[in-house]
Coordinates of all heavy atoms in Angstrom, one line a residue:
M1 N 1.9 16.3 -12.5 CA 1.5 15.8 -11.2 C 2.7 15.1 -10.6 O 3.4 14.3 -11.3 CB 0.4 14.9 -11.3 CG -0.2 14.4 -10.0 SD -1.4 13.1 -10.1 CE -2.9 14.1 -10.5
A2 N 3.0 15.4 -9.3 CA 4.2 14.7 -8.6 C 3.9 13.2 -8.5 O 2.7 12.7 -8.4 CB 4.3 15.3 -7.3
T3 N 4.9 12.4 -8.6 CA 4.8 10.9 -8.3 C 4.3 10.7 -7.0 O 4.8 11.2 -6.0 CB 6.1 10.3 -8.6 OG1 6.6 10.6 -9.9 CG2 6.0 8.8 -8.4
K4 N 3.3 9.8 -6.9 CA 2.8 9.3 -5.6 C 3.4 8.1 -5.1 O 3.3 7.1 -5.9 CB 1.3 9.3 -5.6 CG 0.7 10.7 -6.0 CD -0.8 10.8 -5.5 CE -0.8 11.2 -4.0 NZ -2.1 11.7 -3.6
I5 N 3.9 8.0 -4.0 CA 4.6 6.8 -3.4 C 3.9 6.4 -2.2 O 3.6 7.1 -1.2 CB 6.0 7.1 -3.0 CG1 6.8 7.3 -4.3 CG2 6.6 5.9 -2.3 CD1 8.2 7.8 -4.0
A6 N 3.4 5.1 -2.2 CA 2.6 4.5 -1.2 C 3.4 3.6 -0.4 O 4.2 2.9 -0.9 CB 1.3 3.8 -1.8
Y7 N 3.2 3.7 1.0 CA 3.9 2.7 1.9 C 3.0 2.4 3.1 O 1.9 3.0 3.3 CB 5.1 3.3 2.4 CG 5.0 4.4 3.4 CD1 5.3 4.2 4.8 CD2 4.7 5.7 3.0 CE1 5.0 5.3 5.6 CE2 4.5 6.7 3.9 CZ 4.7 6.6 5.3 OH 4.5 7.6 6.1
V8 N 3.3 1.3 3.8 CA 2.6 0.9 5.0 C 3.4 1.2 6.2 O 4.6 0.8 6.3 CB 2.2 -0.7 4.9 CG1 1.6 -1.0 6.2 CG2 1.4 -0.9 3.7
E9 N 2.7 1.9 7.2 CA 3.3 2.0 8.5 C 3.1 0.7 9.3 O 2.1 0.5 9.9 CB 2.8 3.2 9.2 CG 3.5 3.7 10.4 CD 4.8 4.3 10.1 OE1 4.9 5.3 9.5 OE2 5.8 3.6 10.5
K10 N 4.1 -0.2 9.1 CA 3.9 -1.5 9.6 C 3.5 -1.7 11.0 O 2.8 -2.7 11.5 CB 5.1 -2.4 9.2 CG 5.4 -2.6 7.8 CD 6.4 -3.7 7.5 CE 6.7 -3.9 5.9 NZ 7.2 -5.2 5.6
D11 N 4.0 -0.8 11.9 CA 3.7 -0.9 13.3 C 2.3 -0.8 13.6 O 1.8 -1.3 14.6 CB 4.4 0.3 14.1 CG 5.9 0.1 14.2 OD1 6.5 -1.0 13.9 OD2 6.6 1.0 14.6
D12 N 1.5 -0.2 12.7 CA 0.0 -0.1 12.9 C -0.8 -1.1 12.1 O -2.0 -1.0 12.2 CB -0.4 1.4 12.6 CG 0.3 2.4 13.4 OD1 0.5 2.1 14.6 OD2 0.6 3.5 13.0
C13 N -0.1 -1.9 11.4 CA -0.9 -2.9 10.5 C -1.5 -4.0 11.4 O -0.8 -4.6 12.2 CB 0.0 -3.6 9.5 SG -0.7 -4.8 8.5
T14 N -2.8 -4.3 11.2 CA -3.5 -5.3 12.0 C -3.5 -6.6 11.4 O -4.1 -7.6 11.9 CB -5.0 -4.8 12.1 OG1 -5.6 -4.9 10.9 CG2 -5.1 -3.4 12.7
S15 N -2.8 -6.8 10.2 CA -2.7 -8.0 9.5 C -4.1 -8.6 9.0 O -4.3 -9.8 9.0 CB -2.0 -9.1 10.3 OG -0.7 -8.7 10.8
C16 N -4.9 -7.7 8.7 CA -6.3 -8.1 8.3 C -6.3 -8.6 6.8 O -7.3 -9.2 6.4 CB -7.3 -6.9 8.4 SG -7.1 -5.6 7.1
N17 N -5.2 -8.2 6.1 CA -5.1 -8.8 4.8 C -6.0 -8.1 3.7 O -6.0 -8.5 2.5 CB -5.4 -10.3 4.6 CG -4.2 -11.1 4.5 OD1 -3.4 -11.1 5.5 ND2 -4.0 -11.9 3.5
M18 N -6.8 -7.1 4.1 CA -7.8 -6.5 3.2 C -7.1 -5.9 1.9 O -7.5 -6.1 0.8 CB -8.6 -5.4 3.9 CG -9.7 -4.8 3.1 SD -9.1 -3.5 2.1 CE -8.7 -2.1 3.3
C19 N -6.0 -5.2 2.2 CA -5.3 -4.6 1.1 C -4.7 -5.6 0.1 O -4.9 -5.4 -1.1 CB -4.2 -3.6 1.5 SG -3.0 -4.4 2.6
A20 N -4.1 -6.6 0.6 CA -3.5 -7.6 -0.2 C -4.6 -8.4 -1.0 O -4.4 -8.8 -2.2 CB -2.6 -8.6 0.5
D21 N -5.8 -8.6 -0.4 CA -6.8 -9.3 -1.0 C -7.4 -8.5 -2.1 O -7.8 -9.0 -3.3 CB -7.9 -9.7 -0.1 CG -7.6 -10.8 0.8 OD1 -6.6 -11.6 0.5 OD2 -8.2 -11.0 1.9
N22 N -7.6 -7.2 -1.9 CA -8.3 -6.4 -2.9 C -7.4 -5.7 -3.9 O -7.9 -5.5 -5.0 CB -8.9 -5.2 -2.0 CG -10.2 -5.6 -1.4 OD1 -11.2 -5.9 -2.0 ND2 -10.1 -5.8 -0.1
L23 N -6.2 -5.6 -3.6 CA -5.3 -4.9 -4.6 C -3.9 -5.5 -4.5 O -2.9 -4.9 -4.2 CB -5.1 -3.4 -4.3 CG -4.8 -2.4 -5.4 CD1 -5.6 -2.6 -6.7 CD2 -4.8 -0.9 -4.9
P24 N -3.8 -6.8 -4.9 CA -2.5 -7.6 -4.8 C -1.4 -7.0 -5.7 O -0.2 -7.2 -5.6 CB -2.9 -9.0 -5.2 CG -4.2 -8.9 -5.9 CD -4.9 -7.7 -5.4
K25 N -2.0 -6.2 -6.7 CA -1.0 -5.6 -7.7 C 0.0 -4.7 -6.9 O 1.1 -4.5 -7.3 CB -1.8 -4.7 -8.7 CG -1.0 -4.0 -9.7 CD -1.9 -3.3 -10.7 CE -1.1 -2.6 -11.8 NZ -2.1 -1.9 -12.7
Y26 N -0.5 -4.0 -5.7 CA 0.4 -3.1 -5.0 C 0.6 -3.5 -3.5 O 1.4 -2.9 -2.9 CB -0.2 -1.7 -5.1 CG -0.2 -1.2 -6.6 CD1 -1.4 -0.8 -7.1 CD2 1.0 -1.0 -7.2 CE1 -1.3 -0.3 -8.4 CE2 1.0 -0.5 -8.6 CZ -0.2 -0.2 -9.1 OH -0.1 0.4 -10.3
F27 N -0.2 -4.5 -3.1 CA 0.0 -4.9 -1.6 C 0.3 -6.4 -1.5 O -0.3 -7.1 -2.1 CB -1.2 -4.5 -0.8 CG -1.6 -3.0 -0.8 CD1 -2.3 -2.5 -1.7 CD2 -0.9 -2.2 0.2 CE1 -2.6 -1.1 -1.6 CE2 -1.1 -0.9 0.2 CZ -2.0 -0.2 -0.7
Q28 N 1.2 -6.7 -0.7 CA 1.5 -8.0 -0.3 C 1.8 -8.1 1.2 O 2.2 -7.2 1.8 CB 2.7 -8.6 -1.1 CG 4.0 -7.8 -0.8 CD 5.1 -8.1 -1.9 OE1 4.9 -8.7 -2.9 NE2 6.3 -7.6 -1.5
M29 N 1.7 -9.4 1.8 CA 2.0 -9.5 3.2 C 3.4 -10.1 3.3 O 3.9 -10.9 2.5 CB 1.0 -10.5 3.8 CG -0.5 -10.2 3.6 SD -0.9 -8.5 4.1 CE -0.9 -8.7 5.9
D30 N 4.1 -9.5 4.3 CA 5.6 -10.0 4.4 C 5.6 -11.3 5.3 O 4.6 -11.8 5.7 CB 6.4 -8.9 5.0 CG 6.1 -8.5 6.4 OD1 5.4 -9.2 7.1 OD2 6.6 -7.5 6.8
D31 N 6.8 -11.7 5.7 CA 7.0 -12.9 6.4 C 6.4 -12.8 7.8 O 6.0 -13.9 8.5 CB 8.5 -13.3 6.6 CG 9.0 -13.8 5.1 OD1 8.2 -14.1 4.2 OD2 10.2 -13.8 5.0
D32 N 6.2 -11.6 8.3 CA 5.6 -11.5 9.7 C 4.1 -11.1 9.6 O 3.6 -10.6 10.5 CB 6.3 -10.2 10.3 CG 7.8 -10.6 10.6 OD1 8.1 -11.7 11.0 OD2 8.6 -9.7 10.5
D33 N 3.5 -11.3 8.4 CA 2.1 -11.1 8.1 C 1.7 -9.6 8.2 O 0.6 -9.3 8.7 CB 1.2 -12.0 8.9 CG -0.1 -12.3 8.4 OD1 -0.2 -12.2 7.2 OD2 -1.1 -12.5 9.1
L34 N 2.7 -8.7 7.9 CA 2.3 -7.3 7.9 C 2.4 -6.9 6.5 O 3.2 -7.4 5.7 CB 3.5 -6.5 8.6 CG 3.5 -6.9 10.2 CD1 4.8 -6.3 10.8 CD2 2.2 -6.5 10.9
S35 N 1.5 -6.0 6.1 CA 1.5 -5.6 4.7 C 2.7 -4.6 4.3 O 3.2 -3.9 5.2 CB 0.2 -4.8 4.5 OG 0.1 -4.2 3.3
E36 N 2.9 -4.6 3.0 CA 3.9 -3.8 2.4 C 3.5 -3.5 1.0 O 2.8 -4.3 0.3 CB 5.3 -4.3 2.5 CG 5.4 -5.6 1.7 CD 6.7 -6.4 2.0 OE1 7.4 -6.1 3.0 OE2 7.0 -7.4 1.3
T37 N 3.9 -2.4 0.5 CA 3.6 -2.1 -0.9 C 4.7 -2.6 -1.8 O 5.8 -2.8 -1.4 CB 3.4 -0.5 -1.2 OG1 4.6 0.1 -0.9 CG2 2.2 0.0 -0.4
H38 N 4.4 -2.8 -3.1 CA 5.3 -3.2 -4.1 C 4.9 -2.8 -5.4 O 3.7 -2.5 -5.7 CB 5.5 -4.7 -4.0 CG 4.4 -5.5 -4.5 ND1 4.4 -6.1 -5.7 CD2 3.2 -5.7 -4.1 CE1 3.2 -6.7 -6.0 NE2 2.4 -6.5 -5.0
V39 N 5.8 -2.9 -6.5 CA 5.5 -2.8 -7.9 C 6.2 -4.0 -8.5 O 7.4 -4.0 -8.5 CB 5.8 -1.4 -8.4 CG1 5.6 -1.5 -9.9 CG2 5.1 -0.3 -7.8
N40 N 5.4 -4.9 -9.0 CA 6.0 -6.0 -9.6 C 7.1 -6.8 -8.8 O 8.1 -7.2 -9.2 CB 6.6 -5.7 -11.0 CG 5.6 -5.2 -12.0 OD1 4.5 -5.7 -12.0 ND2 6.1 -4.1 -12.8
G41 N 6.8 -6.8 -7.4 CA 7.7 -7.5 -6.5 C 8.9 -6.7 -6.2 O 9.8 -7.1 -5.5
E42 N 8.9 -5.4 -6.6 CA 10.0 -4.5 -6.4 C 9.5 -3.3 -5.7 O 8.3 -3.1 -5.4 CB 10.9 -4.2 -7.7 CG 11.4 -5.4 -8.3 CD 12.2 -5.2 -9.6 OE1 12.2 -4.0 -10.0 OE2 12.7 -6.2 -10.1
Q43 N 10.4 -2.2 -5.5 CA 10.0 -1.1 -4.8 C 9.4 -1.4 -3.5 O 8.2 -0.8 -3.2 CB 9.1 -0.2 -5.7 CG 9.7 0.2 -7.0 CD 8.8 1.1 -7.8 OE1 7.9 1.7 -7.4 NE2 9.2 1.2 -9.1
I44 N 9.9 -2.3 -2.8 CA 9.2 -2.8 -1.5 C 9.0 -1.7 -0.6 O 9.9 -1.1 0.0 CB 10.1 -4.0 -0.9 CG1 10.2 -5.2 -1.9 CG2 9.4 -4.4 0.3 CD1 9.0 -5.8 -2.5
N45 N 7.7 -1.6 -0.3 CA 7.2 -0.5 0.7 C 7.6 0.8 0.3 O 7.7 1.8 1.2 CB 7.5 -0.8 2.2 CG 6.4 -0.5 3.1 OD1 5.2 -0.3 2.7 ND2 6.7 -0.4 4.4
N46 N 7.8 1.1 -1.0 CA 8.2 2.3 -1.5 C 7.7 2.4 -2.9 O 8.4 2.8 -3.8 CB 9.7 2.5 -1.5 CG 10.2 3.8 -1.4 OD1 9.5 4.7 -0.8 ND2 11.3 4.0 -2.0
A47 N 6.4 2.1 -3.1 CA 5.8 1.9 -4.5 C 5.3 3.1 -5.1 O 4.5 3.9 -4.5 CB 4.6 0.9 -4.3
E48 N 5.8 3.4 -6.2 CA 5.3 4.5 -7.1 C 4.0 4.0 -7.8 O 4.0 3.1 -8.5 CB 6.4 4.8 -8.2 CG 7.6 5.5 -7.6 CD 8.6 5.8 -8.7 OE1 8.2 6.1 -9.8 OE2 9.9 5.8 -8.5
I49 N 3.0 4.8 -7.5 CA 1.7 4.4 -8.0 C 1.4 5.3 -9.2 O 1.3 6.5 -9.1 CB 0.6 4.7 -6.9 CG1 1.0 3.9 -5.7 CG2 -0.7 4.2 -7.5 CD1 1.1 2.4 -5.8
P50 N 1.2 4.7 -10.4 CA 0.8 5.5 -11.6 C -0.5 6.1 -11.4 O -1.3 5.6 -10.7 CB 0.8 4.4 -12.7 CG 0.9 3.1 -12.1 CD 1.3 3.2 -10.7
D51 N -0.6 7.3 -12.1 CA -1.8 8.2 -12.0 C -3.0 7.3 -12.1 O -4.1 7.5 -11.3 CB -1.9 9.2 -12.9 CG -0.8 10.3 -12.8 OD1 -0.1 10.2 -11.7 OD2 -0.6 11.1 -13.6
E52 N -3.2 6.4 -13.0 CA -4.4 5.6 -13.3 C -4.7 4.8 -12.1 O -5.9 4.3 -12.1 CB -4.3 4.9 -14.6 CG -3.3 3.8 -14.6 CD -1.9 4.2 -15.3 OE1 -1.6 5.5 -15.1 OE2 -1.2 3.3 -15.7
D53 N -3.9 4.5 -11.3 CA -4.2 3.6 -10.1 C -4.2 4.3 -8.8 O -4.5 3.6 -7.7 CB -3.2 2.5 -10.1 CG -3.4 1.5 -11.2 OD1 -4.5 1.3 -11.7 OD2 -2.5 0.7 -11.5
V54 N -4.1 5.6 -8.8 CA -4.0 6.3 -7.6 C -5.4 6.2 -6.8 O -5.5 6.0 -5.6 CB -3.7 7.8 -7.8 CG1 -4.0 8.7 -6.6 CG2 -2.2 8.0 -8.0
K55 N -6.4 6.3 -7.6 CA -7.7 6.2 -7.0 C -8.0 4.8 -6.3 O -8.5 4.7 -5.2 CB -8.9 6.4 -7.9 CG -10.2 6.5 -7.2 CD -11.4 6.7 -8.1 CE -12.7 6.8 -7.4 NZ -12.9 5.7 -6.5
A56 N -7.6 3.7 -7.0 CA -7.7 2.4 -6.4 C -7.0 2.2 -5.2 O -7.5 1.6 -4.1 CB -7.3 1.3 -7.4
V57 N -5.8 2.7 -5.1 CA -4.9 2.7 -3.9 C -5.6 3.6 -2.8 O -5.7 3.2 -1.6 CB -3.5 3.2 -4.2 CG1 -2.6 3.3 -2.8 CG2 -2.8 2.1 -5.1
Q58 N -6.1 4.7 -3.1 CA -6.7 5.6 -2.2 C -8.0 5.0 -1.6 O -8.1 5.1 -0.3 CB -7.1 6.9 -2.8 CG -7.8 8.0 -1.9 CD -6.8 8.5 -0.9 OE1 -5.7 9.0 -1.2 NE2 -7.0 8.3 0.4
D59 N -8.7 4.3 -2.4 CA -9.9 3.5 -1.8 C -9.5 2.5 -0.8 O -10.1 2.4 0.2 CB -10.6 2.9 -3.0 CG -11.4 3.8 -3.9 OD1 -11.6 5.0 -3.5 OD2 -11.8 3.4 -5.0
V60 N -8.4 1.8 -1.0 CA -8.0 0.8 -0.1 C -7.4 1.5 1.2 O -7.6 1.1 2.4 CB -6.8 -0.1 -0.7 CG1 -6.1 -0.9 0.4 CG2 -7.3 -1.0 -1.8
M61 N -6.7 2.6 1.0 CA -6.3 3.4 2.2 C -7.4 3.8 3.1 O -7.3 3.7 4.3 CB -5.6 4.7 1.6 CG -4.2 4.5 1.2 SD -3.5 6.2 0.7 CE -1.9 5.8 0.2
D62 N -8.5 4.3 2.4 CA -9.7 4.7 3.1 C -10.3 3.7 4.0 O -10.9 3.9 5.0 CB -10.7 5.4 2.2 CG -10.1 6.7 1.6 OD1 -9.1 7.2 2.0 OD2 -10.8 7.1 0.5
E63 N -10.2 2.4 3.5 CA -10.8 1.2 4.2 C -9.9 0.5 5.2 O -10.4 -0.3 6.0 CB -11.3 0.3 3.1 CG -12.3 0.8 2.2 CD -13.6 1.2 2.9 OE1 -14.0 0.4 3.8 OE2 -14.2 2.2 2.5
C64 N -8.6 0.8 5.1 CA -7.7 0.2 6.0 C -8.0 0.4 7.5 O -8.0 1.6 8.0 CB -6.3 0.7 5.7 SG -5.0 0.2 6.9
P65 N -8.3 -0.7 8.3 CA -8.7 -0.5 9.7 C -7.5 0.1 10.6 O -7.8 0.7 11.6 CB -9.0 -1.9 10.1 CG -8.3 -2.8 9.2 CD -8.2 -2.0 7.9
G66 N -6.3 -0.1 10.1 CA -5.2 0.5 10.9 C -4.8 1.9 10.5 O -4.0 2.5 11.2
E67 N -5.5 2.4 9.4 CA -5.2 3.7 8.9 C -3.7 3.9 8.7 O -3.1 4.9 9.0 CB -5.8 4.8 9.9 CG -7.2 4.8 10.0 CD -7.8 5.8 10.8 OE1 -7.1 6.7 11.4 OE2 -9.1 5.9 11.0
C68 N -3.1 2.8 8.2 CA -1.6 2.8 8.2 C -1.0 2.7 6.8 O 0.1 2.5 6.7 CB -1.1 1.6 9.1 SG -1.7 0.0 8.6
I69 N -1.9 2.9 5.7 CA -1.4 3.0 4.4 C -1.4 4.5 4.1 O -2.3 5.2 4.2 CB -2.3 2.3 3.4 CG1 -2.5 0.8 3.8 CG2 -1.6 2.3 2.0 CD1 -3.5 0.1 2.9
L70 N -0.2 4.9 3.6 CA 0.0 6.4 3.6 C 0.8 6.8 2.3 O 1.5 5.9 1.7 CB 0.9 6.9 4.8 CG 0.4 6.5 6.2 CD1 1.4 6.7 7.2 CD2 -0.9 7.3 6.5
W71 N 0.6 8.0 1.9 CA 1.4 8.6 0.9 C 2.6 9.2 1.4 O 2.5 9.9 2.4 CB 0.6 9.6 0.0 CG -0.7 9.2 -0.6 CD1 -2.0 9.5 -0.3 CD2 -0.7 8.2 -1.7 NE1 -2.8 8.9 -1.2 CE2 -2.1 8.1 -2.1 CE3 0.2 7.6 -2.5 CZ2 -2.6 7.3 -3.2 CZ3 -0.2 6.8 -3.5 CH2 -1.6 6.7 -3.9
K72 N 3.7 8.9 0.9 CA 4.9 9.6 1.3 C 4.9 11.0 1.0 O 4.5 11.5 -0.1 CB 6.1 9.0 0.5 CG 7.4 9.1 1.3 CD 8.5 8.2 0.7 CE 8.8 7.0 1.7 NZ 9.8 6.1 1.2
K73 N 5.2 11.9 1.9 CA 5.1 13.3 1.8 C 6.4 13.8 1.1 O 7.5 13.4 1.5 CB 4.9 14.1 3.1 CG 3.7 13.6 3.9 CD 2.5 14.3 3.5 CE 1.4 14.0 4.5 NZ 0.0 13.8 3.8
Ligands
SF4_101 S1 -5.7 -3.1 5.1 FE1 -4.3 -2.0 6.6 S2 -4.3 -3.1 8.5 FE2 -5.2 -4.4 6.8 S3 -3.3 -5.6 6.2 FE3 -3.5 -3.8 4.9 S4 -2.2 -2.3 5.8 FE4 -2.6 -3.8 7.3

């Protein structure tokens, strides 16, 4: 399976914090209160998501009010 990389289209983020609250392992808010993905504080907004966590990230994507958490194509 190809590596899945998750990122946030920050222009569309509503700063609701839902992703960072529910899945802090992969989402954090930046200094402008916009979400970004990470892995252990690295791979900022370019996070490789291991297969076992793809569903958890997808669930957050599906709930994001800005529809701005995306898989890199
Ligand atoms: S859930 Fe979506 S809109 Fe809310 S903070 Fe995360 S990326 Fe932004």
Side-chain angles (χ1 to χ4, degrees):
M1 183 189 282
T3 302
K4 300 201 82 164
I5 296 176
Y7 71 103
V8 175
E9 193 66 67
K10 294 191 181 204
D11 286 348
D12 295 327
C13 177
T14 67
S15 304
C16 74
N17 260 59
M18 184 278 288
C19 54
D21 284 345
N22 284 285
L23 203 55
K25 181 176 181 181
Y26 294 120
F27 295 94
Q28 61 191 11
M29 307 308 286
D30 70 10
D31 290 343
D32 296 321
D33 207 25
L34 299 172
S35 174
E36 61 195 9
T37 62
H38 74 102
V39 174
N40 296 324
E42 299 179 355
Q43 301 180 16
I44 300 301
N45 218 14
N46 205 30
E48 292 181 26
I49 308 300
D51 290 349
E52 64 266 27
D53 286 337
V54 164
K55 182 180 185 310
V57 172
Q58 183 67 57
D59 287 348
V60 170
M61 281 181 178
D62 292 345
E63 295 298 318
C64 168
E67 299 182 357
C68 56
I69 307 170
L70 304 169
W71 297 116
K72 202 166 253 188
K73 304 272 191 223

